[in-house]
Amino acid sequence: MTGVGHLLNRQLTVWRTQTVPDGAGGEETTTSQVATVRAKVDQPSPTERLVAAQAGSTHSHDIWLLPTADVHRGDELRGTDALGQAQVFRVLSVVQPSRPIYSKAFAELIQEEA
C-alpha cells in the first residue's frame, strides 16, 4: 500500500490555541496559524456517523493528511470548499494505521449562524 499524497487535493491552514505569558505574571490564550497542510476532506460513511453519534461525538468529516502533518486534537483546520466558500473544521481526534502511510483527522464542520 502506498501513501495518500497523490489524493490530497486541498490546502488547509492549521490554527492552534496556545497559552502564552502576558508579561505581568499571568497568561493569555491566543489562536495562531502554525502550519499549512495538504488534505482531502470527505464525509464519513453512515456507519462512522452512527458510531460517532452513539459515542456522543459530532464527527461530520474525515480529513486525510500526510502522516507527518502537524495536526492535533483541538486544532482548527481552515480552508475553502470547491465553491470557494470558507470552511472551518474542529479536530476531534487524529489516528494513524499501524504502518503510518497517512493520518486521518475526525473533525466537526463549524458552521456560522446566519
Side-chain angles (χ1 to χ4, degrees), residues 15-97:
W15 291 77
R16 187 167 295 145
T17 300
Q18 300 171 327
T19 304
V20 295
D22 66 3
E27 296 178 331
E28 289 182 353
T29 301
T30 63
T31 302
S32 57
Q33 183 179 340
V34 296
T36 300
V37 295
R38 293 175 46 213
K40 181 175 187 299
V41 178
D42 287 334
Q43 291 188 342
S45 71
T47 301
E48 289 174 317
R49 286 184 188 202
L50 178 62
V51 170
Q54 289 173 341
S57 175
T58 52
H59 172 205
S60 66
H61 287 77
D62 294 334
I63 302 178
W64 301 86
L65 307 155
L66 291 174
T68 56
D70 183 19
V71 175
H72 303 279
R73 181 176 184 250
D75 287 349
E76 285 186 359
L77 301 177
R78 301 178 186 180
T80 56
D81 65 13
L83 301 174
Q85 296 184 8
Q87 290 184 312
V88 178
F89 299 94
R90 179 180 302 115
V91 177
L92 304 171
S93 65
V94 180
V95 297
Q96 285 185 339

